[in-house]
Amino acid sequence: MPNSFYALLLSLGITLVSALPAQALQVRVIPTKPHLGDTLSVVVRPNNPDVSDSPTVTVNRKTYPAFAIAPGVFRAFIPTTPLQKVGKREIHISSEGKVRNIAVWVANRKFPVQRINFRPGKAGLEATELELSRVAAFKSLVTPQKFWNGPFLKPNRGRVSTIYGVRRYYNGKFAKNYYHRGVDYAGPVGSPVVAPAAGRVSLIGLESQGFRVHGNIIGLDHGQGVTSVFLHLSRIYVREGDIVRAGQPIGAVGSTGASTGPHLHWGFYVQGEAVDPTTWREQGMN
């Protein structure tokens, strides 16, 4: 429309009002075709690039924290696990009075099944209250600072002996609430365990202190609700409060705690739920 026409309208006291609807929130969910065990990355760009308040991201009435990852860009992580139902997830995002609802279909995934039979009367190890409370407190950490950068590394060079998500039958009965909450590496005793990504050492536990099931354990806080635990260690080279870099040796493989042989158990948690670290290693969630 010519500028002269705008000037004529203004001289007549007429103001044009756009009939276009307000721009909706820009939201991107990765991966686009998730499966159980994947981490959903919800990236939100509010209409106002100068907004400082984090958007609200909710699924099934549970709100997940969103953190600024660039000027005017926020991200929330939503974990999925083998214990959840297959199907649609309604993600509710709101910011500055604007709302978007996005439906994401989480597909099924076939997890391996193991059958384990215990001898009659055999008593398994039970975790102490000390280790349960300290590990639970560690997994609930949601530190605003993001320590990691790029894809995660393998914490040990041993072969993978048990993958994430394995389900089990115990004495013929399916364990509904069980799945293998990590990845096991069959490294020899004393082989190095390295930090898969930068983070703060926020948990050190020793078998001698009552960590009867976990054994000697290190917990790394990678920030923004992302944490790693390393179980059954023979040695620990770091202290609580240390900041470690990716690839830095933090301990050594052992067989402490509830372990039937030397191996490293790497548990990877997002917002307190054990998820598959494969995507984080192969592609990264930067």
Side-chain angles (χ1 to χ4, degrees), residues 66-89:
F67 298 95
I69 57 174
V73 183
F74 299 85
R75 177 181 57 200
F77 288 130
I78 300 173
T80 70
T81 78
L83 300 184
Q84 295 177 356
K85 292 182 178 180
V86 173
K88 184 170 65 174
R89 303 290 192 279

Side-chain angles (χ1 to χ4, degrees), residues 1-11 16:
M1 192 175 292
N3 290 336
S4 58
F5 183 72
Y6 281 117
L8 175 61
L9 291 178
L10 290 174
S11 67
L16 290 179

